Amino acid sequence: MALLPILCYPDPRLHTVATPVQAIDARIRTLVADMLETMYDAEGIGLAATQVDVHERVITIDVSEKRDQPLVLINPEIVEASADKQVGDEGCLSVPGIYDGVERSRSIVVRAMDAEGNTRDIAAEGLLSVCIQHEMDHLQGKVFVEYLSPLKRNRIKTKMLKARRDTERV
């Protein structure tokens, strides 16, 4: 397993739309293992392959308290979403240190394959529902800050670019 570099907003590669996984083979299983290791190391609860510059429809999630219940979603699709919405603060490994309110469906049903190629439907609500929706946005080339006002988005972009310049100087 290996730690993968996480792209940071406003990196244009974060806006790449991911393509479906054609075959769940050793390469995809290695990607999944590396994504889980990267997600846990960064203390995140979700990671989309887009965030590690792999533009295929793969997501890893673990919202458990003990961080011992990894969930792998390959080629996920939302098959049902509640009309009932909620606004909650979201953060993102690609936008470190930034949190803001985003409106999401309160509950969803997602259909996806696991790392063994088994297709299953997962009913999710609460944090898991939000996390799945957030990570699926990444697969569509969308970062959560795009739900915010242009003013907030520009301030975040400026802050992220400044942080990158400061890091490069060190």
Side-chain angles (χ1 to χ4, degrees):
M1 293 194 304
L3 289 177
L4 304 170
I6 298 172
L7 300 177
C8 281
Y9 181 82
D11 192 307
R13 294 172 288 180
L14 288 168
H15 299 295
T16 304
V17 176
T19 59
V21 171
Q22 297 302 314
I24 298 175
D25 53 17
R27 181 184 66 83
I28 293 296
R29 284 190 283 281
T30 299
L31 173 63
V32 165
D34 291 348
M35 285 175 61
L36 283 166
E37 182 178 0
T38 301
M39 178 186 76
Y40 288 130
D41 182 72
E43 298 181 9
I45 60 170
L47 187 66
T50 301
Q51 293 176 271
V52 293
D53 204 21
V54 176
H55 303 287
E56 294 180 84
R57 296 182 59 79
V58 178
I59 292 171
T60 58
I61 292 174
D62 191 340
V63 297
S64 68
E65 219 171 281
K66 292 184 179 179
R67 315 287 289 136
D68 60 354
Q69 297 174 32
L71 179 63
V72 175
L73 304 174
I74 298 173
N75 295 337
E77 59 178 300
I78 294 176
V79 293
E80 195 177 307
S82 68
D84 187 23
K85 307 278 187 189
Q86 65 184 7
V87 175
D89 269 359
E90 291 187 26
C92 181
L93 294 176
S94 292
V95 194
I98 303 295
Y99 299 87
D100 213 316
V102 176
E103 183 178 73
R104 303 272 187 195
S105 291
R106 191 172 296 278
S107 63
I108 61 168
V109 176
V110 64
R111 180 169 296 141
M113 288 185 289
D114 61 21
E116 286 75 48
N118 303 309
T119 300
R120 58 188 231 184
D121 287 0
I122 299 164
E125 56 185 30
L127 182 58
L128 180 58
S129 172
V130 169
C131 190
I132 291 171
Q133 292 172 77
H134 175 107
E135 299 308 332
M136 286 185 69
D137 277 352
H138 279 298
L139 299 181
Q140 296 303 318
K142 189 170 187 174
V143 181
F144 89 97
V145 298
E146 293 171 47
Y147 287 100
L148 308 178
S149 71
L151 178 63
K152 279 186 178 181
R153 200 168 43 247
N154 283 332
R155 283 182 178 163
I156 291 167
K157 183 177 182 179
T158 300
K159 185 176 183 174
M160 294 293 109
L161 289 170
K162 182 183 181 312
R164 183 184 310 158
R165 282 193 304 273
D166 291 348
T167 302
E168 289 170 355
R169 277 191 224 137
V170 172

